[in-house]
Amino acid sequence: MMRSKTEIEQVSQLFKVLSDPTRLKILLSLKAGEKNVTAIAEAVSMEQSAVSHQLKLLRENRVVKSRREGKAILYSLDDEHVIDILQETFEHIEHR
């Protein structure tokens, strides 16, 4: 099945977003469930401001979503496909 130019560009953009080790760590930390920026920063051993910057990029590319609970903003994976993509990729590299 041939894909449209737009679909190909969207897939390429998704892989660009997923290609960063920091963003991968953030996504893997969210596999267990939603977290606030402080908890994510602790999980990935990074400064909160750096994590916030990466979360903005992930949110703009619909890889993570956020919701407000009181004063806190909680982040979670946009859907299970994100983890499916990562899991398949890890299985691929382990297959060698």
Side-chain angles (χ1 to χ4, degrees):
M1 168 196 264
M2 192 59 166
R3 297 293 185 167
S4 72
K5 182 179 178 183
T6 301
E7 287 174 318
I8 290 170
E9 288 172 359
Q10 288 172 334
V11 169
S12 177
Q13 179 61 29
L14 176 62
F15 280 118
K16 285 177 188 173
V17 170
L18 296 178
S19 70
D20 181 81
T22 298
R23 291 191 287 268
L24 283 176
K25 289 177 191 175
I26 291 169
L27 294 173
L28 292 171
S29 80
L30 291 173
K31 183 178 178 182
E34 65 182 4
K35 293 180 171 76
N36 65 24
V37 176
T38 303
I40 296 168
E42 288 174 7
V44 299
S45 301
M46 289 181 58
E47 293 292 325
Q48 206 169 321
S49 60
V51 170
S52 292
H53 174 75
Q54 297 300 331
L55 285 167
K56 180 178 186 255
L57 184 68
L58 290 166
R59 200 173 58 248
E60 288 171 348
N61 284 278
R62 297 177 37 227
V63 179
V64 299
K65 60 186 175 185
S66 62
R67 71 177 184 87
R68 182 175 291 280
E69 188 173 283
K71 291 184 178 184
I73 297 177
L74 299 173
Y75 294 88
S76 61
L77 299 171
D78 191 68
D79 61 44
E80 287 305 310
H81 292 115
V82 175
I83 287 300
D84 292 344
I85 292 165
L86 294 178
Q87 190 62 41
E88 287 288 325
T89 306
F90 280 115
E91 287 176 17
H92 175 71
I93 63 167
E94 291 167 358
H95 183 285
R96 294 181 181 186

